[in-house]
Each structure stands twice: as structure tokens, then as C-alpha cells.
Amino acid sequence: MTLSVAIVGSGPAGFYTADALLKADPECRIDIIDRLPTPYGLIRFGVAPDHEKTKNVMRGFARTASNERVNFFGDVDIGEALSLDELRELYDAVVLAVGAAHDRKLGIPGEDKAGVVGSASFVNWYNAHPDFVDRTPDLDTSSVVIIGAGNVAIDVARVLVKTPAEMAATDLPDYAAGPIQSAPISDVYMVARRGPVEAKFTNVELREMGHLEQCVPQVAAADLPDEVTGEMSPRDRRVREKNLETLRAFAGRGADEMPKRVHFVFFASPVEILGGEHVEAVRFERTRVEKGRAVGTGEHFEIACGLVVAAVGYLSLPVDGAPFDHKYGVVVNDEGRVGPGLYAVGWIKRGPTGVIGTNKPDGRDAAQQIIDDLGAGGGKPGREGLEALLRARGHRWVDFEDWQRIEAAEIAAAAEGAPRRKLYRREDFLAVLDEQRAAG
Ligand code: NAP
């Protein structure tokens, strides 16, 4: 009997799972469901607008979605349009691939002041996520503090300091490009609570900061150790040595070389956001690293700023109908198995770390588990059942052909050299579809 599988979430974890299932079971039918009308999750809303090449994985995902055994149900919120329990009644297997779309909190006094934003919100804003487009941050400041030293911190810093020319061939939406590029920002401080050796950013991303048109990286030579010490894999050691080499080159750059600067500040842990209603500065405690952990030294300093972006990692929220581990911020799972016929992949399974490709093995594991657990079973209604239920509730959905029409409209509207001009209002998505339906 044909196995029906619903995948909730159309980001990389969802698509790699669909891909693996198609290969592992020549019969199964797969429906990929997303609460937004657009597929691809973090590829569309997380990857930086100036990293178009990283988004090339969308082409492979589009091929997967175009397979006759796969359907896309966009604009269907599991939890609102129908419950997870209802979905489990309709499908032999349900895979949760909902990611970690929310901001982790800093957990320090003052973080609710105006001018303090989480990186997920900030990145979603400049990437035209429909839920965030109206959350324009206050960019009227010369100084920005970014807390964290991961790749998201680097993305945010780069997008804030790149020139209009550097961002011209990107899909940065006009409503974000305007305020960012007219902002009086001259200094961005990226502050890490540990040292350069412990920083999470990867070397390609770090090196990019040395090649910006109007911005020079700054780092204190005294913060850079002579060598990478301690136990680690040869691969990790290579990355860290390369990062040190890059940072050493940055340490030789002059502050006046360019009108803007990104300062890499190490060994500083945020203790309080200062100011009145609006942030005016961040207070830090100097740290030293002991056994890999940041330990406070009791010495404090402040960095004045008008905007704080907390780039301290993403957070998953509980999924109604699935057990949740609040400590680790993941759905309770045993190597991906959550309950009978229920599985988890990607960040909701293992937390918000790793790059896009890290989701591939998750997808392969889930596909194998589904086949091992359900074998040739099946028999639940799958797609026909979902469509009947949505129709009965008067719920319209966006299928993959609909999405391709939206995508074609975005490409047609792109400025010269840019890949697309993203749509972000529900009414604009629906208008494209209505126009096409009327024309066709
Ligand atoms: P991340 O790599 O985990 O970095 C989080 C940063 O926040 C770390 O520097 C961490 O310091 C710091 N931090 C956490 N809690 C803190 C606190 N309370 N106070 C001060 N600092 C704190 O997370 P991310 O940057 O959000 O990235 C998520 C994943 O996406 C990563 O795997 C990343 O590589 C990936 N990604 C990749 C790319 C790319 O390949 N270009 C782009 C974007 C994202 P500690 O290390 O001390 O904990």
C-alpha cells in the first residue's frame, strides 16, 4: 500500500527529507506543508540577501517539489488550519521540519528597551518575511552593537555596512535598503563573550569582512593568541588557525582607511542594556576563557550605541500536539522519532546549529526510520484527505504551480542584475494568483 507522508515545514530539513524519501521508497506520496505561501524557509528568510549562491539549493528543492509524487501546500498553518493530531489522522507519517524561527533572549536587564532586537527578527525583516516587514528597526544611530560571534552576527554586520552598489545585485527589499543605506552608521561592534579561537563564524564569511568597499575591519592585536591550543579535531583546528590568520591581517588595518568600521571585540560578556526607554549603551564585563568557558574578570566597560542586535542563536517554540524539551528547545525525540508515525528533522530535532547541508543526514535518517517503522503499511487518506478537509473549512492553499507563478512575478519585477524582487504581503501573493487565474 502506498505510504503517505506529510512534512511540516518547507525549509532545507523538510526538502532533504522529501528528497531522501523519494529515493528510499519508489511508491510513497509526500506533501510538504508550510504556514507561509512561499517555500524554502530559512533559504528565503535566513540566508543573507548578498549570498545568492547559497540559495542555489532552491533549484534542487524545486525539482523535488515538481516530482509527481510530491505536493506543496503553502499558506496552511498546522495548529490553525488543522491540528497536528488531525494531520496525523490523515497521513501514515508526519515529519516535523519547522526549524527554529525565533529569537533567543540575552537574559540581561534592559533587553526590552526600544532599539534592542533579536537577529532572527532583524534578518527576517531585511529578508521580507511577511510577519516582520513592518518591524522597521530604528537605524538613526552612528553606532551599532551586535552581540555574538557567529555567522548570523557577521551577516547582520555586513548587510548594515555594505554600500548600495554592493547590495544592488541582491534581493534586499527596497523598504529595508532605504533605511539601512541612509542610516548614519559608522561603527558596528561585534562582541564575543569568548576569544577569537572560540568564535563560531567560518573563515569565508570572516574574510569577506576584509573586502568591503566602504568599511574596514578592526581588531586589537592583543586579543589574538600566537597559536591555537587545546584538544580539537584537525578540521576545527584548521578553521580556527585560518580565522586567526585573517584576524591578524585585520589587526594591521587602519581605522581611517574607510568611513565605516566593524570592530571585532573579544572577551566581553554583556551584563546590561543601558539607557532610558531607548538603548543608549551596552555594559560588558571583560572575560577570560577557562576550559572553554567565559569567566568574568570583574572589570566592566560600556559601548555607546543606538541599536543592539542580539545574534545569540535561534530558538524553536513548542509545537502543539508534540512533546517539547524546554531546556534544549527541541521536540522530545529519540534520534528523530517523536511518537508513532511522528518524526522530527533539522533544528526542531537537534537545535539551531550547522549549515544547510547538515540537514541532509537528518532527512536520510527520517526516511529510513519511516520505512523501517511503517514498511509497506500505509492506507491513510493522505493528500485527498487533506484537500477535502481544507475545502470543507473554506481554506485556500498555494500549490507549487501557484508558487512558481509568484516566483516568476518576483523575477520579472527584479531590478537590473538582481535575482528577484520579493513579494511579502499576503494580498500581493494572492493578487498574482488571481491575475493568472483570470488570464488563464
Ligand atoms: P551560533 O553560531 O551558535 O553563534 C551564536 C553566538 O552567540 C556565539 O558567538 C555565542 O557565543 C554567542 N552567544 C550565545 N549566547 C550568548 C550570550 N548569552 N551572551 C553573549 N553571547 C552569546 O549561531 P548563529 O550565528 O545564530 O548561527 C546559527 C547557525 O546557522 C550556525 O550553525 C551558523 O554557522 C549557521 N549560519 C551559517 C551561515 C553561513 O554559512 N554563511 C550564515 C548564517 C548562519 P558562545 O560561542 O560563547 O556560546
Side-chain angles (χ1 to χ4, degrees):
M1 220 175 283
T2 309
L3 215 54
S4 62
V5 182
I7 298 173
V8 185
S10 67
F15 266 104
Y16 283 129
T17 304
D19 225 17
L21 272 165
L22 284 176
K23 289 188 185 118
D25 178 344
E27 298 289 321
C28 69
R29 314 283 273 179
I30 303 158
D31 293 334
I32 304 176
I33 303 169
D34 204 291
R35 57 181 284 266
L36 293 173
T38 53
Y40 310 136
L42 208 70
I43 306 296
R44 183 171 166 100
F45 300 118
V47 173
D50 57 338
H51 280 182
E52 185 59 28
K53 273 194 195 148
T54 309
K55 302 187 200 185
N56 281 346
V57 286
M58 291 192 298
R59 293 187 199 153
F61 295 164
R63 278 195 294 279
T64 301
S66 303
N67 186 298
E68 56 179 14
R69 292 192 282 136
V70 178
N71 287 288
F72 176 66
F73 288 82
D75 216 8
V76 175
D77 190 337
I78 299 303
E80 260 184 55
L82 69 158
S83 69
L84 180 59
D85 285 344
E86 286 174 318
L87 192 68
R88 291 176 74 184
E89 288 295 313
L90 292 173
Y91 287 84
D92 301 311
V94 172
V95 182
L96 299 173
V98 297
H102 305 271
D103 282 313
R104 266 195 64 210
K105 289 283 197 189
L106 284 166
I108 57 172
E111 85 175 298
D112 50 355
K113 289 188 193 305
V116 182
V117 295
S119 56
S121 308
F122 193 69
V123 169
N124 277 327
W125 170 69
Y126 68 55
N127 275 336
H129 188 300
D131 296 347
F132 291 84
V133 290
D134 295 319
R135 299 209 205 166
T136 311
D138 182 357
L139 296 162
D140 187 16
T141 178
S142 60
S143 168
V144 178
V145 166
I146 301 173
I147 297 175
N151 280 327
V152 172
I154 291 224
D155 281 349
V156 169
R158 203 179 61 248
V159 169
L160 282 174
V161 299
K162 270 196 168 181
T163 62
E166 285 174 297
M167 293 305 280
T170 75
D171 59 8
L172 181 69
D174 295 341
Y175 71 77
I180 291 175
Q181 289 160 1
S182 61
I185 297 168
S186 59
D187 291 89
V188 175
Y189 297 84
M190 193 190 301
V191 187
R193 62 181 169 182
R194 298 191 291 162
V197 169
E198 292 80 21
K200 297 258 176 69
F201 39 64
T202 39
N203 191 252
V204 175
E205 282 66 26
L206 181 62
R207 276 206 316 265
E208 226 182 319
M209 299 306 287
H211 301 288
L212 302 177
E213 273 179 12
Q214 292 281 307
C215 181
V216 61
Q218 298 284 283
V219 60
D223 281 347
L224 306 178
D226 294 334
E227 55 179 358
V228 175
T229 53
E231 287 293 305
M232 66 191 78
S233 70
R235 189 184 164 278
D236 276 355
R237 188 177 303 278
R238 265 199 311 279
V239 172
R240 287 158 192 222
E241 281 172 350
K242 272 187 168 177
N243 278 354
L244 265 189
E245 193 184 312
T246 307
L247 288 166
R248 270 187 214 113
F250 289 177
R253 303 282 300 267
D256 297 334
E257 272 182 41
M258 302 274 188
K260 299 183 187 211
R261 288 154 292 278
V262 168
H263 308 259
F264 290 82
V265 181
F266 294 102
F267 304 109
S269 184
V271 291
E272 187 174 358
I273 310 283
L274 305 172
E277 272 181 25
H278 199 282
V279 54
E280 288 167 24
V282 184
R283 189 169 154 78
F284 291 94
E285 180 174 13
R286 285 203 193 284
T287 64
R288 59 174 175 268
V289 174
E290 284 178 11
K291 294 187 182 148
R293 292 180 68 88
V295 179
T297 62
E299 187 193 336
H300 291 83
F301 69 100
E302 292 170 15
I303 300 178
C305 64
L307 174 69
V308 174
V309 182
V312 295
Y314 286 88
L315 179 77
S316 296
L317 291 185
V319 179
D320 263 353
F324 197 73
D325 181 331
H326 289 269
K327 186 170 172 211
Y328 293 103
V330 294
V331 158
V332 177
N333 70 89
D334 179 10
E335 310 264 315
R337 287 184 173 93
V338 179
L342 187 61
Y343 305 83
V345 291
W347 283 3
I348 192 71
K349 166 189 172 186
R350 57 184 164 76
T353 58
V355 292
I356 295 163
T358 315
N359 294 294
K360 261 191 196 174
D362 279 7
R364 281 200 295 268
D365 290 350
Q368 195 54 52
Q369 288 167 353
I370 290 170
I371 288 162
D372 290 349
D373 295 351
L374 304 170
K380 289 198 183 176
R383 174 188 170 188
E384 283 73 28
L386 178 61
E387 289 188 351
L389 188 142
L390 291 174
R391 282 206 186 93
R393 292 185 180 171
H395 192 106
R396 175 179 173 174
W397 66 92
V398 172
D399 66 22
F400 201 69
E401 284 183 6
D402 289 337
W403 154 248
Q404 287 176 312
R405 290 185 193 106
I406 294 170
E407 188 181 35
E410 290 187 338
I411 293 170
E416 205 186 325
R420 65 191 70 77
R421 187 185 298 271
K422 283 179 179 171
L423 295 175
Y424 46 83
R425 303 236 180 250
R426 180 155 271 112
E427 57 270 25
D428 294 338
F429 291 124
L430 296 182
V432 169
L433 300 181
D434 289 339
E435 266 169 38
Q436 301 267 355
R437 279 174 190 156

Short mmCIF file of all heavy atoms in Angstrom, two decimals, residues 11-38:
data_model
loop_
_atom_site.label_atom_id
_atom_site.label_comp_id
_atom_site.label_asym_id
_atom_site.label_seq_id
_atom_site.Cartn_x
_atom_site.Cartn_y
_atom_site.Cartn_z
N GLY A 11 11.60 24.23 4.69
CA GLY A 11 13.00 24.67 4.66
C GLY A 11 13.89 23.52 4.24
O GLY A 11 13.41 22.48 3.77
N PRO A 12 15.22 23.69 4.40
CA PRO A 12 16.14 22.63 3.96
C PRO A 12 15.87 21.27 4.61
O PRO A 12 15.92 20.25 3.93
CB PRO A 12 17.51 23.16 4.36
CG PRO A 12 17.33 24.54 4.88
CD PRO A 12 15.89 24.91 4.88
N ALA A 13 15.55 21.26 5.91
CA ALA A 13 15.32 19.96 6.57
C ALA A 13 14.12 19.26 5.94
O ALA A 13 14.15 18.04 5.70
CB ALA A 13 15.10 20.16 8.07
N GLY A 14 13.07 20.00 5.65
CA GLY A 14 11.88 19.41 5.03
C GLY A 14 12.18 18.89 3.64
O GLY A 14 11.84 17.75 3.28
N PHE A 15 12.87 19.70 2.84
CA PHE A 15 13.13 19.27 1.46
C PHE A 15 14.12 18.11 1.39
O PHE A 15 13.97 17.21 0.56
CB PHE A 15 13.59 20.46 0.61
CG PHE A 15 12.44 21.10 -0.12
CD1 PHE A 15 11.90 22.29 0.31
CD2 PHE A 15 11.86 20.46 -1.22
CE1 PHE A 15 10.81 22.85 -0.35
CE2 PHE A 15 10.77 21.02 -1.87
CZ PHE A 15 10.25 22.22 -1.44
N TYR A 16 15.16 18.13 2.24
CA TYR A 16 16.09 16.99 2.20
C TYR A 16 15.39 15.69 2.62
O TYR A 16 15.72 14.61 2.13
CB TYR A 16 17.32 17.25 3.08
CG TYR A 16 18.31 18.20 2.45
CD1 TYR A 16 18.79 19.31 3.14
CD2 TYR A 16 18.77 17.99 1.14
CE1 TYR A 16 19.71 20.19 2.55
CE2 TYR A 16 19.68 18.87 0.55
CZ TYR A 16 20.13 19.96 1.26
OH TYR A 16 21.04 20.81 0.68
N THR A 17 14.40 15.81 3.50
CA THR A 17 13.64 14.62 3.90
C THR A 17 12.81 14.12 2.72
O THR A 17 12.77 12.91 2.44
CB THR A 17 12.74 14.94 5.11
OG1 THR A 17 13.55 15.46 6.16
CG2 THR A 17 12.01 13.70 5.60
N ALA A 18 12.15 15.03 2.03
CA ALA A 18 11.34 14.65 0.86
C ALA A 18 12.22 13.95 -0.17
O ALA A 18 11.87 12.89 -0.71
CB ALA A 18 10.67 15.88 0.26
N ASP A 19 13.37 14.54 -0.40
CA ASP A 19 14.33 14.00 -1.36
C ASP A 19 14.73 12.57 -1.01
O ASP A 19 14.70 11.66 -1.85
CB ASP A 19 15.59 14.87 -1.22
CG ASP A 19 16.14 15.27 -2.54
OD1 ASP A 19 15.41 15.16 -3.53
OD2 ASP A 19 17.32 15.69 -2.55
N ALA A 20 15.07 12.38 0.27
CA ALA A 20 15.52 11.06 0.74
C ALA A 20 14.37 10.05 0.64
O ALA A 20 14.59 8.89 0.26
CB ALA A 20 16.03 11.17 2.17
N LEU A 21 13.17 10.49 0.95
CA LEU A 21 12.01 9.58 0.88
C LEU A 21 11.74 9.14 -0.56
O LEU A 21 11.46 7.97 -0.82
CB LEU A 21 10.76 10.27 1.44
CG LEU A 21 10.54 10.14 2.94
CD1 LEU A 21 9.50 11.17 3.40
CD2 LEU A 21 10.09 8.73 3.31
N LEU A 22 11.84 10.10 -1.48
CA LEU A 22 11.61 9.76 -2.89
C LEU A 22 12.57 8.67 -3.34
O LEU A 22 12.20 7.75 -4.08
CB LEU A 22 11.80 11.00 -3.78
CG LEU A 22 10.69 12.04 -3.78
CD1 LEU A 22 11.10 13.24 -4.64
CD2 LEU A 22 9.37 11.46 -4.29
N LYS A 23 13.82 8.78 -2.87
CA LYS A 23 14.84 7.80 -3.28
C LYS A 23 14.63 6.47 -2.56
O LYS A 23 14.82 5.41 -3.15
CB LYS A 23 16.24 8.34 -2.97
CG LYS A 23 16.61 9.48 -3.90
CD LYS A 23 18.06 9.88 -3.73
CE LYS A 23 18.35 11.11 -4.60
NZ LYS A 23 18.76 12.29 -3.84
N ALA A 24 14.24 6.55 -1.28
CA ALA A 24 14.18 5.32 -0.47
C ALA A 24 12.93 4.50 -0.75
O ALA A 24 12.93 3.28 -0.55
CB ALA A 24 14.25 5.69 1.01
N ASP A 25 11.84 5.14 -1.15
CA ASP A 25 10.59 4.42 -1.36
C ASP A 25 9.99 4.85 -2.71
O ASP A 25 9.52 5.98 -2.85
CB ASP A 25 9.61 4.75 -0.22
CG ASP A 25 8.26 4.06 -0.40
OD1 ASP A 25 7.97 3.59 -1.52
OD2 ASP A 25 7.50 4.01 0.58
N PRO A 26 10.03 3.97 -3.70
CA PRO A 26 9.60 4.37 -5.04
C PRO A 26 8.09 4.62 -5.17
O PRO A 26 7.63 5.04 -6.22
CB PRO A 26 10.04 3.20 -5.92
CG PRO A 26 10.30 2.07 -5.00
CD PRO A 26 10.54 2.62 -3.63
N GLU A 27 7.35 4.35 -4.10
CA GLU A 27 5.88 4.49 -4.18
C GLU A 27 5.35 5.67 -3.38
O GLU A 27 4.29 6.21 -3.69
CB GLU A 27 5.22 3.22 -3.61
CG GLU A 27 5.54 1.94 -4.37
CD GLU A 27 4.84 1.93 -5.72
OE1 GLU A 27 3.68 2.39 -5.78
OE2 GLU A 27 5.46 1.49 -6.70
N CYS A 28 6.04 6.05 -2.30
CA CYS A 28 5.41 6.94 -1.32
C CYS A 28 4.96 8.26 -1.93
O CYS A 28 5.47 8.71 -2.94
CB CYS A 28 6.37 7.20 -0.16
SG CYS A 28 7.77 8.19 -0.65
N ARG A 29 3.96 8.87 -1.30
CA ARG A 29 3.45 10.19 -1.71
C ARG A 29 3.79 11.17 -0.59
O ARG A 29 3.59 10.86 0.60
CB ARG A 29 1.93 10.17 -1.88
CG ARG A 29 1.40 8.99 -2.64
CD ARG A 29 1.61 9.11 -4.09
NE ARG A 29 0.55 9.84 -4.77
CZ ARG A 29 0.56 10.08 -6.07
NH1 ARG A 29 1.59 9.68 -6.78
NH2 ARG A 29 -0.42 10.69 -6.65
N ILE A 30 4.27 12.32 -0.98
CA ILE A 30 4.76 13.27 0.03
C ILE A 30 4.08 14.62 -0.15
O ILE A 30 4.03 15.17 -1.26
CB ILE A 30 6.28 13.48 -0.13
CG1 ILE A 30 7.01 12.13 -0.02
CG2 ILE A 30 6.82 14.46 0.91
CD1 ILE A 30 8.38 12.13 -0.65
N ASP A 31 3.55 15.17 0.92
CA ASP A 31 3.01 16.52 0.89
C ASP A 31 3.83 17.40 1.82
O ASP A 31 4.00 17.08 3.00
CB ASP A 31 1.53 16.53 1.30
CG ASP A 31 0.68 15.81 0.26
OD1 ASP A 31 1.11 15.78 -0.92
OD2 ASP A 31 -0.38 15.26 0.61
N ILE A 32 4.33 18.50 1.27
CA ILE A 32 5.13 19.44 2.07
C ILE A 32 4.23 20.63 2.38
O ILE A 32 3.69 21.26 1.47
CB ILE A 32 6.39 19.89 1.29
CG1 ILE A 32 7.21 18.66 0.86
CG2 ILE A 32 7.22 20.84 2.13
CD1 ILE A 32 8.42 18.99 0.00
N ILE A 33 4.09 20.89 3.68
CA ILE A 33 3.13 21.91 4.12
C ILE A 33 3.89 23.07 4.75
O ILE A 33 4.83 22.85 5.53
CB ILE A 33 2.17 21.29 5.17
CG1 ILE A 33 1.47 20.07 4.56
CG2 ILE A 33 1.15 22.32 5.67
CD1 ILE A 33 0.70 19.23 5.58
N ASP A 34 3.52 24.29 4.41
CA ASP A 34 4.17 25.44 5.04
C ASP A 34 3.12 26.46 5.44
O ASP A 34 2.14 26.66 4.75
CB ASP A 34 5.18 26.10 4.08
CG ASP A 34 6.25 26.86 4.85
OD1 ASP A 34 5.91 27.90 5.47
OD2 ASP A 34 7.41 26.41 4.86
N ARG A 35 3.36 27.13 6.57
CA ARG A 35 2.40 28.12 7.02
C ARG A 35 2.42 29.38 6.15
O ARG A 35 1.49 30.16 6.12
CB ARG A 35 2.62 28.51 8.49
CG ARG A 35 3.99 29.04 8.81
CD ARG A 35 4.12 29.36 10.29
NE ARG A 35 3.43 30.61 10.57
CZ ARG A 35 4.00 31.82 10.58
NH1 ARG A 35 5.30 31.92 10.33
NH2 ARG A 35 3.31 32.89 10.84
N LEU A 36 3.53 29.58 5.41
CA LEU A 36 3.62 30.74 4.52
C LEU A 36 3.29 30.33 3.09
O LEU A 36 3.40 29.14 2.75
CB LEU A 36 5.04 31.32 4.58
CG LEU A 36 5.42 31.93 5.93
CD1 LEU A 36 6.89 32.33 5.94
CD2 LEU A 36 4.54 33.14 6.24
N PRO A 37 2.92 31.29 2.24
CA PRO A 37 2.61 30.94 0.85
C PRO A 37 3.86 30.58 0.04
O PRO A 37 3.75 30.09 -1.08
CB PRO A 37 1.98 32.22 0.27
CG PRO A 37 1.78 33.14 1.42
CD PRO A 37 2.67 32.71 2.53
N THR A 38 5.05 30.84 0.63
CA THR A 38 6.31 30.63 -0.10
C THR A 38 7.07 29.44 0.48
O THR A 38 7.09 29.26 1.70
CB THR A 38 7.20 31.88 0.06
OG1 THR A 38 7.32 32.16 1.46
CG2 THR A 38 6.60 33.09 -0.63
#
